[in-house]
Amino acid sequence: MHIFNQAPDPKIVTRQNTLVFLLILSALAGFVWWQLSHHFASDLALQSWNKILTVFDAFEFRIENLSMLQPHIPLYLMIPFYYLPAEYGYIAPYLTSAFCSALLLALWNHDLKQRNYTAVQRGLLVLLVAIHPFFLWAMTGGAVHGLTLLVFYLFCIASIRLTKYADARAFLMMALVLISFFFVDELAFFVFIAFFPMVQLLVPRRMIDESPMAVYLLVAVPLIVAVLTWLYLNNVFASNAYEFLENPYGSFRGSWLRVENVEWLRLFGGKFLTPTLLAIGLLLVAFPVSIWMIWRARRHTKILAGIAILVLNVALAVGFGSASYYLSHPIEIMSLMVPGIMAALILMPREFNATNRFVLYVMLALSVAGGWYAMNWKPTHEMRNWLSMFTSGEKQPPISGTDEALGKWLKENRGVTLIDDNVAYRAIVARGDAKDLMVPFTKEFQLALRSENLTELNNLSTLSSIGRAESFKIEQVVVQNPVYSKYNESLASPEIDMLTRRYPNLYAEGIVKKNVKTEGATVTEKVNLENSEPIAVELVYDDHVNWRVWRFKYNEELHRNVVQCIE
């Protein structure tokens, strides 16, 4: 224990801090392993891992294939897991989130040490925070929110520095954190909108009196630059600056596609005041320690303002997120209260006696109990599954039966396949790779959406115009039952797949034959081609619930004649 009771060292990277980080990471990784042993796998985690598979298994690797529809930093952090064996790859979102969460707790431990907390006191505080259900859900919910918690903690520390010093370094730190936040999580929008009007409560009064506009510009410009950069990148790669806001599959749109399946949005979607007030109530239930902190800081104006702003910031962000139909549950934003409380504790007065610290531990323990109660209030489908692990120990299949069956079938029956990974991501993860899969960002898939009929993909002269070899051809098409998404509330995006929307009868009837082009052929050749059937299809997979696979049946000899005739 001697190493944990050394004198405070302002350096962050030390032997002691490294050891603390590794111990915390081991504990959190153990919890992740326990969760995965109960077969819990969220749709958000599967979607993230599917994105890595489809981009890195594509014929041509391009960074823009990650798309501009979601923040990129979490995806970059998951890339090293791509080189693991396929059966372990899907754990990437959880381990990435656990790594960031461990980094957060280790950094907090370092900050507590600077405040002269002993090793035992720090260990108890870290434990009480780590077992809070909001923290556990953020870490293991599948959305790499452990990174979000880390960035928000840095945001709170920057706010504290702004309160104390209001110097150039404070504004620079705030700027860097806000820019990073935008590329980490879409929640940055709502957090910033809620925080912006309260800036004047943090900075010294003299700065507001001398130049109020300058203060607001210093805080706003970094995020504005980040947003403008994202607009530019969308315009370059998607030819539409607002693609990330308009595309129905973009994560910046949140849960608006699933309003009918999300109880919170059915009740409070499009409203601001009611969800904000409810969020304040839930925050006080889940974090009664905040009430004690406010009372404890009543004689310290700046500290009191900082803690009050923290609670209001999170509650207002919930209101904005609900009004814009983004949130599926307020915990998505309320989990930010965890790093907020951690930062507030760093801000608390130094004169902390034994009685005050005992009360702090009790209030944190009550916060853990209140957090479990708050999580059981109108939980989402995935939250119910997650909670059932603790209440009943129930194990669930990580991927739904139909999706897993399709993935295994595609693994055994490989071929160049058209598939919309926006709805078939689970099947692709179950397959273990995305080799030979033509997903929406590929030119072949885009050609299929532009064609009058899918059989045009058999025209090799068309394919050669986009740079593919003449031997290249689409072999099979995966299509979803258009009825399935209407009743499956667990789907992260209940949209019908793009191919079904483009060809409404594709699931029921398959690929309808279309006469091949006869430009350049003689009269006799045209007659022979028009009377022939160079393409036919067969149904090779049908689970009678959700998925079908139609396969092209090629007449190779006739196919060569068609190509020669067209050429």
Side-chain angles (χ1 to χ4, degrees):
M1 288 295 292
H2 173 70
I3 188 174
F4 295 104
N5 286 307
Q6 293 175 354
D9 186 343
K11 293 189 297 184
I12 295 178
V13 181
T14 64
R15 193 180 78 165
Q16 176 189 346
N17 290 343
T18 302
L19 180 58
V20 169
F21 167 73
L22 293 176
L23 288 174
I24 295 174
L25 180 59
S26 299
L28 297 183
F31 180 81
V32 168
W33 174 85
W34 177 83
Q35 171 183 287
L36 296 178
S37 71
H38 282 70
H39 299 165
F40 175 83
S42 76
D43 278 342
L44 291 174
L46 297 175
Q47 284 178 322
S48 298
W49 187 239
N50 163 76
K51 179 62 67 176
I52 298 296
L53 289 178
T54 53
V55 170
F56 280 82
D57 283 340
F59 285 110
E60 298 174 345
F61 172 79
R62 295 181 179 178
I63 195 67
E64 62 265 28
N65 288 342
L66 286 171
S67 80
M68 302 296 143
L69 303 182
Q70 66 280 315
H72 274 198
I73 291 181
L75 296 176
Y76 297 154
L77 294 179
M78 286 188 283
I79 288 175
F81 291 92
Y82 171 77
Y83 301 98
L84 290 177
E87 59 268 24
Y88 300 111
Y90 75 97
I91 68 175
Y94 304 102
L95 289 184
T96 302
S97 188
F99 179 89
C100 296
S101 300
L103 195 59
L104 166 63
L105 293 176
L107 179 60
W108 189 46
N109 172 77
H110 169 78
D111 291 340
L112 288 174
K113 188 173 183 179
Q114 303 307 304
R115 303 287 293 181
N116 297 317
Y117 284 82
T118 67
V120 174
Q121 292 168 346
R122 298 197 307 271
L124 186 55
L125 288 173
V126 168
L127 176 63
L128 288 171
V129 166
I131 63 175
H132 196 287
F134 283 23
F135 178 85
L136 293 176
W137 170 254
M139 180 183 71
T140 60
V144 197
H145 274 168
L147 178 59
T148 304
L149 298 185
L150 174 60
V151 174
F152 190 75
Y153 177 76
L154 296 176
F155 173 78
C156 292
I157 294 298
S159 300
I160 291 173
R161 184 171 183 85
L162 196 62
T163 302
K164 285 187 172 183
Y165 307 110
D167 56 4
R169 185 177 176 183
F171 281 102
L172 179 61
M173 183 178 180
M174 178 70 73
L176 293 175
V177 170
L178 284 175
I179 290 176
S180 302
F181 202 175
F182 176 79
F183 295 106
V184 165
D185 199 313
E186 307 87 347
L187 297 178
F189 276 121
F190 307 114
V191 171
F192 177 77
I193 293 172
F195 172 77
F196 191 67
M198 297 185 286
V199 171
Q200 61 177 333
L201 300 178
L202 292 177
V203 300
R205 185 67 187 176
R206 58 178 176 77
M207 295 187 67
I208 296 295
D209 292 339
E210 292 175 2
S211 181
M213 186 60 67
V215 173
Y216 284 104
L217 284 176
L218 285 171
V219 175
V221 166
L223 190 64
I224 292 174
V225 170
V227 173
L228 291 177
T229 301
W230 205 246
L231 289 170
Y232 173 75
L233 292 173
N234 274 264
N235 187 59
V236 170
F237 296 119
S239 301
N240 178 9
Y242 303 100
E243 177 70 11
F244 69 107
L245 295 176
E246 297 175 356
N247 192 299
Y249 297 108
S251 62
F252 289 91
R253 302 296 294 270
S255 300
W256 77 276
L257 280 177
R258 300 183 291 130
V259 173
E260 66 279 5
N261 293 328
V262 178
E263 186 176 6
W264 176 263
L265 289 183
R266 288 203 307 269
L267 295 174
F268 308 112
K271 302 175 182 178
F272 174 76
L273 183 59
T274 303
T276 301
L277 295 176
L278 280 172
I280 293 176
L282 288 173
L283 285 171
L284 295 179
V285 170
F287 297 95
V289 67
S290 61
I291 301 174
W292 177 81
M293 283 183 165
I294 290 174
W295 178 84
R296 184 70 184 79
R298 65 191 184 281
R299 295 189 181 91
H300 302 266
T301 306
K302 286 188 175 183
I303 298 176
L304 179 62
I307 298 173
I309 287 172
L310 166 66
V311 177
L312 286 176
N313 187 17
V314 174
L316 290 172
V318 170
F320 289 124
S322 301
S324 60
Y325 292 94
Y326 177 89
L327 296 180
S328 60
H329 193 275
I331 193 176
E332 293 178 36
I333 291 180
M334 289 197 306
S335 61
L336 297 179
M337 194 70 178
V338 175
I341 292 294
M342 295 163 64
L345 191 56
I346 303 298
L347 186 62
M348 291 298 289
R350 285 183 180 271
E351 57 272 15
F352 241 33
N353 56 34
T355 302
N356 288 328
R357 283 177 175 155
F358 175 77
V359 175
L360 172 62
Y361 301 144
V362 171
M363 297 306 293
L364 284 173
L366 290 175
S367 298
V368 173
W372 287 109
Y373 176 82
M375 279 204 70
N376 280 278
W377 189 75
K378 301 186 184 303
T380 63
H381 174 80
E382 288 198 339
M383 288 172 65
R384 286 195 297 270
N385 290 341
W386 189 81
L387 289 168
S388 69
M389 294 189 305
F390 300 94
T391 57
S392 62
E394 178 183 349
K395 291 189 176 183
Q396 302 174 11
I399 300 176
S400 67
T402 57
D403 293 325
E404 184 176 19
L406 173 64
K408 290 181 178 179
W409 187 90
L410 290 173
K411 185 176 182 179
E412 298 297 326
N413 298 268
R414 294 181 175 271
V416 181
T417 305
L418 281 179
I419 185 171
D420 184 357
D421 69 321
N422 291 302
V423 293
Y425 55 90
R426 297 199 229 185
I428 295 175
V429 173
R431 185 180 191 249
D433 65 80
K435 292 180 173 62
D436 297 327
L437 298 184
M438 301 295 107
V439 294
F441 65 72
T442 64
K443 294 179 179 179
E444 290 74 23
F445 195 99
Q446 295 166 14
L447 176 63
L449 296 183
R450 292 195 303 267
S451 301
E452 295 182 12
N453 191 283
L454 284 177
T455 55
E456 290 187 356
L457 294 179
N458 190 43
N459 186 337
L460 293 188
S461 64
T462 303
L463 287 175
S464 64
S465 69
I466 60 173
R468 296 299 187 197
E470 290 191 346
S471 60
F472 188 89
K473 58 192 176 188
I474 300 297
E475 298 177 31
Q476 51 196 18
V477 180
V478 177
V479 60
Q480 184 190 33
N481 185 348
V483 178
Y484 181 70
S485 62
K486 295 180 180 179
Y487 63 83
N488 189 345
E489 67 166 349
S490 67
L491 287 179
S493 297
E495 272 275 307
I496 298 173
D497 71 290
M498 294 182 181
L499 292 170
T500 300
R501 270 186 289 154
R502 175 64 182 84
Y503 305 101
N505 298 323
L506 183 58
Y507 179 84
E509 301 176 7
I511 306 166
V512 181
K513 172 190 174 295
K514 179 181 184 296
N515 289 335
V516 296
K517 297 178 181 179
T518 57
E519 295 179 4
T522 64
V523 175
T524 303
E525 289 171 335
K526 286 182 179 181
V527 172
N528 292 335
L529 288 171
E530 290 172 355
N531 293 331
S532 66
E533 292 190 5
I535 303 173
V537 294
E538 61 178 339
L539 182 64
V540 293
Y541 180 84
D542 187 2
D543 61 16
H544 304 289
V545 178
N546 187 23
W547 300 105
R548 283 183 174 179
V549 180
W550 295 93
R551 179 176 294 165
F552 288 98
K553 294 171 64 178
Y554 289 89
N555 183 324
E556 295 294 345
E557 181 179 356
L558 183 56
H559 183 72
R560 285 193 296 272
N561 293 335
V562 171
V563 174
Q564 292 173 359
C565 175
I566 294 175
E567 291 177 346

